[in-house]
Amino acid sequence: MYVYDEYDQKILDERVDQYRGQTERFLAGTLSEEEFLPLRLQNGLYVQRLAPMLRVAVPYGLMNSAQLRTVARLSRDYDKGYVHISTRQNIQFNWPELAEVPEMLAELAKVQMHAIQTSGNCIRNTTTDQFAGVARDELVDPRPYCEIIRQWSTLHPEFAFLPRKFKIAVCGTEEDRAAIHAHDIGIELVKNSEGDVGYRVIVGGGLGRTPVIGVEICAFLEKQHLLSYLEAILRVYNQHGRRDNKYKARIKILVKAMGIEAFRESVESEWVHLKDGPTTLTDAEIERAKSFFTEPAYAEFDNTPDAELSAKADADPIFGNWVKRNTVEHRVNGYRIVNISLKATGYAPGDITDDQLELLADLADRFSFGEIRSTHQQNLVLADVPSNELYTLWQILQKAGLATANIGYLTDMICCPGGDYCALANAKSIPVAEAIQARFDDMDYVYDLGPLELNISGCMNACGHHHIGHIGILGVDKKGEEFYQVCLGGSQAKDASIGKILGPSFRQEDMPDVMEKILGTYVDLRSEDEQFLDTYRRVGIAPFKEKVYA
C-alpha cells in the first residue's frame, strides 16, 4: 500500500495543527459557527443528532494492522468502543467530543490516516473493488490508479469548493463491485484491441433525491490522459453546476440538463487546454504508483491446501458452510479471500467493536500480510489467507462473533446509521434492519432465497444506497411520523438500474411482514435457479404490489 513520504507527512501534520487552532478559536468564541462550518467539514467532522461524527478516510478501503489498532484505541479512548464502516469504505466515530477531535486527528496522522475531504463539497474518498489485486476476474489492478486520483484530488485548490460533493469509483474487473454507474464519475479499466490499458469513463451517476444511472462519456481514454480528462470534467461542472439550489447541484443534474452530447462537447473543449499538459501521466509515474502495490511474498503451494480445505469442510459442515458463503477464490493457488461479515443478527450493520478491531489487526498480521480492507457493503476483508490456515482463522473468528456466514444474502444488508445518529435522517434505519434480521433468522430459508441485496436508507440522501438494492427501503417523514417506502429492482452491477417504488409507505412495525410478502412472491414466481432480480425483471412489479397491498 502507499506509504507517505516526508512531504505527505509534513502536509498532514501541519493540517492537524491548523485544525487544532481553528477548533480552539471556535470553542473560545473567536470563530463563529458559520466560519467554523466549512473548516470542520473539510476535516471530516459533522454535527449529528446527539454528538459530532468524525469520518476518517480509508483510501480505496485499504488499511494496515497498525492503522486498525490505532482506530481501535481511539474508539476506546475517545468514543464508545466501536466504529462504523461506511458505504464509501471509510470509518466513522459517532461519539467524539468536539474539543478532542484535533488530538484524535494527531493520533491518526502518526499512522498516516486523516479525515481530509471526507465531507464538504469537494472530491471525496475514491472507492474501488475490495478484491483489487487478488480477484480472479480482474483485468487490471485499480489500486495504483486510485492512488494517482487520490494524490491529484487531495487538497486540489481548484476543486475545494465545488457546487456539491463529488464521488469517484474505479473498477478493473468483469464484475462491477465498486458501483461505478452510481457515482459522479465511474472509471472502468479496460484494454483495447491492441492490449493497451485505458479507461471507460462514465459520468453523471448518483443517488440521493434524484437517482440517476451514469452514462458513458468516453469509451476508451488513453492511460496518460486520466487526470487531464478528469480535470476537464470537473472544470465544466465547477463552472456550470448550480450553486443556488443544493438539491440541483450534483453533476448528474447538469449532465441531464445539458444532455450527454453537449456535456461531452464542453468537456472536450475544456480538455483541449489541458491535454498533454503538466497532469499528463508518464509511464514512470504510473510505474511509481504501481510500486506501492507489489505482490506480497506468497508461498508456493501444490494442490495440497485445497485438498486439505475440502477434507476439513466435509468433516465440519458449519466450517464448510462458512467457506462456501464467506470466502472467494484467489488468483494465487493455495490462497482464499476471506469476507468478514459485520452483519450478525442483533448488531447494527457495519458496526465493529474495539476488541474486534484489535483481534482483526492481529489476524491480519498472522494470516494476511498485515493488511485488511473495508468494503462498500460495510464488511471487512482479509485478502490473502492461505487455504490451509482457514480452519484456524474461522475458529478464532467464530469465538469473536465475526463468522456470520451470510455474505451476499438477505441479512448482509447495507444500512446507514439513520435517525439514531444522523441529523439529516427522516427515520431510523437500524431498528428496521434488526427487525428484518430477527424475522429471517432461518439461514436455510435465507440461503434458499439466493444472492439478494437489501439496502436501507434513513432519508433521501441515500447513504444506504437504497435505490440500487434489489430491495431498497427508504425512511420518510409523514407529518412527524416515521414511515418506510419500498423500491424493487435496483442493481449496482454493470447492468445497473434504479429500483421502482412499490407504492404507499409502511409503518416500521409492518416492515418484516412486508418483506415476508415480497420474498414469498419471489419464491412463488421464480423459475429454477432464478435469482430475485431476474425474477423481478421478468415479471415486473405488479405481482409484488398485488401481494403486499392485498
Side-chain angles (χ1 to χ4, degrees):
M1 61 187 294
Y2 181 74
V3 178
Y4 286 8
D5 61 21
E6 60 181 300
Y7 301 105
D8 296 321
Q9 192 65 51
K10 185 176 183 182
I11 290 170
L12 187 53
D13 292 341
E14 289 181 350
R15 178 80 173 206
V16 171
D17 289 342
Q18 193 180 50
Y19 185 64
R20 190 190 300 278
Q22 292 162 351
T23 302
E24 289 171 354
R25 292 201 298 280
F26 172 69
L27 293 174
T30 57
L31 269 183
S32 69
E33 176 66 45
E34 187 179 18
E35 291 169 323
F36 187 57
L37 175 66
L39 302 174
R40 66 172 169 78
L41 284 179
Q42 293 235 343
N43 286 282
L45 191 67
Y46 288 79
V47 174
Q48 295 288 62
R49 191 179 296 272
L50 302 172
M53 183 273 281
L54 178 65
R55 182 180 293 150
V56 176
V58 181
Y60 33 93
L62 190 58
M63 292 175 281
N64 61 39
S65 57
Q67 292 173 328
L68 208 60
R69 289 191 183 91
T70 296
V71 170
R73 181 169 55 77
L74 293 179
S75 75
R76 185 166 52 244
D77 293 347
Y78 295 94
D79 208 283
K80 292 191 175 183
Y82 67 94
V83 298
H84 179 74
I85 307 298
S86 81
T87 50
R88 290 213 69 70
Q89 301 179 277
N90 290 324
I91 289 176
Q92 295 180 177
F93 294 89
N94 281 314
W95 301 95
E97 294 289 338
L98 183 64
E100 294 180 336
V101 169
E103 192 54 34
M104 294 176 71
L105 294 174
E107 292 294 318
L108 289 166
K110 293 177 183 175
V111 290
Q112 303 187 350
M113 297 185 84
H114 61 77
I116 297 169
Q117 292 182 203
T118 57
S119 57
N121 295 332
C122 52
I123 302 172
R124 304 286 188 88
N125 185 36
T126 297
T127 53
T128 193
D129 177 13
Q130 64 270 24
F131 304 153
V134 295
R136 284 203 169 181
D137 67 340
E138 189 170 86
L139 189 66
V140 182
D141 185 348
R143 293 173 300 174
Y145 302 93
C146 290
E147 177 57 29
I148 287 169
I149 295 171
R150 187 196 70 79
Q151 294 189 21
W152 162 77
S153 62
T154 301
L155 301 176
H156 194 304
E158 189 175 341
F159 306 131
F161 292 96
L162 294 166
R164 277 291 277 146
K165 57 188 173 184
F166 202 91
K167 299 177 180 179
I168 300 173
V170 185
C171 85
T173 46
E174 294 175 11
E175 180 185 351
D176 177 11
R177 287 181 287 267
I180 59 173
H181 291 83
H183 282 73
D184 297 291
I185 293 178
I187 298 169
E188 180 181 2
L189 286 151
V190 293
K191 290 183 179 178
N192 63 13
S193 56
E194 284 74 44
D196 298 324
V197 172
Y199 321 94
R200 175 176 176 247
V201 183
I202 297 161
V203 69
L207 303 177
R209 189 173 296 267
T210 309
V212 179
I213 296 298
V215 291
E216 181 182 284
I217 186 171
C218 181
F220 186 84
L221 178 70
E222 294 175 316
K223 63 181 180 182
Q224 67 268 28
H225 298 309
L226 174 64
L227 297 185
S228 61
Y229 197 76
L230 292 182
E231 199 147 302
I233 294 174
L234 265 295
R235 279 193 174 181
V236 172
Y237 171 54
N238 208 13
Q239 290 168 5
H240 302 290
R242 291 182 60 173
R243 295 175 187 270
D244 61 323
N245 182 343
K246 71 176 183 178
Y247 301 120
K248 305 285 185 184
R250 296 289 293 269
I251 194 173
K252 60 190 174 186
I253 303 297
L254 179 64
V255 174
K256 277 278 184 185
M258 294 178 67
I260 186 60
E261 293 303 327
F263 186 82
R264 183 185 290 115
E265 287 175 13
S266 294
V267 169
E268 296 284 340
S269 177
E270 187 64 41
W271 193 34
V272 168
H273 307 293
L274 299 166
K275 189 178 180 183
D276 299 321
T279 55
T280 301
L281 290 174
T282 63
D283 288 341
E285 178 57 22
I286 293 173
E287 290 305 313
R288 189 186 76 87
K290 287 182 178 178
S291 71
F292 293 103
F293 303 95
T294 54
E295 283 202 353
Y298 290 122
E300 291 188 12
F301 295 108
D302 53 20
N303 292 326
T304 304
D306 289 337
E308 289 178 2
L309 179 61
S310 296
K312 278 198 167 64
D314 290 341
D316 188 333
I318 299 176
F319 169 65
N321 183 55
W322 176 80
V323 171
K324 180 179 179 181
R325 314 294 178 184
N326 282 32
T327 76
V328 179
E329 287 188 330
H330 197 287
R331 68 174 178 77
V332 176
N333 182 48
Y335 286 83
R336 301 283 292 187
I337 303 166
V338 174
N339 289 291
I340 298 164
S341 172
L342 303 183
K343 313 293 174 54
T345 298
Y347 295 87
D351 281 7
I352 182 167
T353 69
D354 55 338
D355 289 341
Q356 290 173 326
L357 286 167
E358 288 179 334
L359 173 66
L360 289 178
D362 293 343
L363 296 178
D365 282 339
R366 181 175 172 185
F367 297 111
S368 194
F369 302 101
E371 287 188 354
I372 194 161
R373 305 169 183 209
S374 54
T375 80
H376 95 269
Q377 291 90 356
Q378 301 176 298
N379 294 312
L380 294 170
V381 168
L382 293 172
D384 298 292
V385 181
S387 297
N388 58 10
E389 298 278 15
L390 281 176
Y391 192 72
T392 304
L393 173 63
W394 169 72
Q395 288 177 310
I396 298 170
L397 291 173
Q398 201 177 40
K399 287 179 182 175
L402 292 169
T404 304
N406 65 349
I407 293 294
Y409 293 90
L410 173 67
T411 53
D412 179 22
M413 58 190 75
I414 291 177
C415 179
C416 76
D420 288 299
Y421 299 95
C422 180
L424 301 174
N426 291 321
K428 296 182 176 67
S429 48
I430 293 173
V432 174
E434 291 178 338
I436 292 172
Q437 285 176 326
R439 173 68 65 90
F440 299 98
D441 63 348
D442 178 350
M443 292 307 292
D444 288 335
Y445 178 71
V446 170
Y447 296 148
D448 179 66
L449 293 173
L452 205 160
E453 296 171 2
L454 170 61
N455 294 36
I456 306 173
S457 301
C459 73
M460 287 302 295
N461 288 301
C463 292
H465 297 180
H466 64 278
H467 298 296
I468 52 173
H470 299 164
I471 302 174
I473 297 175
L474 166 66
V476 296
D477 178 276
K478 291 174 72 172
K479 298 180 179 178
E481 290 191 68
E482 296 181 3
F483 278 76
Y484 296 86
Q485 192 179 73
V486 175
C487 55
L488 302 179
S491 170
Q492 62 173 322
K494 285 190 175 175
D495 61 348
S497 58
I498 300 295
K500 285 188 176 179
I501 296 172
L502 186 63
S505 54
F506 307 94
R507 293 184 179 278
Q508 184 184 118
E509 59 267 27
D510 296 330
M511 287 309 299
D513 291 337
V514 171
M515 284 294 298
E516 196 162 293
K517 290 176 182 176
I518 292 170
L519 296 172
T521 304
Y522 156 58
V523 170
D524 289 342
L525 296 176
R526 68 181 171 183
S527 305
E528 189 176 358
D529 297 329
E530 193 174 46
Q531 296 184 6
F532 179 89
L533 189 59
D534 297 324
T535 299
Y536 170 83
R537 287 176 171 171
R538 177 171 58 80
V539 305
I541 202 167
F544 294 93
K545 183 179 290 190
E546 183 178 337
K547 183 75 172 180
V548 169
Y549 293 102

